[in-house]
Amino acid sequence: MSNNRPELVPGPDHPITITPNAGHIVVKVGDKVVADSRNALTLQESTYPAVPYIPLADVDQSLLERTATSTYCPYKGDATYYSIPAGGEKSVDAIWVYENPRDAVAQIKDHVAFYPDRVDSIEITA
């Protein structure tokens, strides 16, 4: 990894907030519950849609398979990815995680996020 990648800090032009999500979130692929959490966080970044980040402890890790995919965000750091084999092709790289997030978003460490179109459902109830 090169060190010449930009590192940016959230601010007025690109705010990032992380707040507790009061809902009960259940993520399913087929008939399998991949995640079931009442301890998720909501990350709101600039004008992007809010993203729930679910504690890894609330995810059935036996259903996951780490992939070689990685991406970089100048605000959050390096993301690594997991697929959910039970979901077939649709669920490749369905989950991302920042294992060593930047200080500004340190709360999302050990939390994962799901692409809504790569799982069958993400249910959020009160």
Side-chain angles (χ1 to χ4, degrees):
M1 302 221 182
S2 75
N3 289 330
N4 63 358
R5 299 181 302 180
E7 280 193 35
L8 302 175
V9 176
D13 295 335
H14 193 101
I16 296 177
T17 59
I18 300 171
T19 54
N21 185 315
H24 177 207
I25 302 177
V26 177
V27 181
K28 293 182 181 175
V29 169
D31 61 352
K32 297 187 185 313
V33 173
V34 181
D36 185 338
S37 181
R38 292 183 182 276
N39 301 301
L41 299 172
T42 298
L43 184 142
Q44 178 68 58
E45 180 174 355
S46 190
T47 58
Y48 302 115
V51 175
Y53 276 78
I54 297 172
L56 200 49
D58 293 342
V59 177
D60 184 346
Q61 297 176 56
S62 71
L63 298 174
L64 310 185
E65 186 175 274
R66 185 185 281 274
T67 71
T69 303
S70 67
T71 57
Y72 176 74
C73 169
Y75 293 95
K76 296 188 294 286
D78 292 296
T80 54
Y81 288 75
Y82 289 91
S83 293
I84 307 166
E89 284 299 309
K90 178 179 93 170
S91 296
V92 170
D93 291 335
I95 300 170
W96 73 93
V97 58
Y98 291 94
E99 293 176 332
N100 294 292
R102 299 245 185 283
D103 290 345
V105 294
Q107 302 101 301
I108 64 170
K109 183 172 175 58
D110 300 323
H111 288 65
V112 300
F114 291 81
Y115 283 107
D117 60 341
R118 298 186 189 181
V119 296
D120 290 324
S121 66
I122 299 177
E123 300 166 15
I124 304 176
T125 55

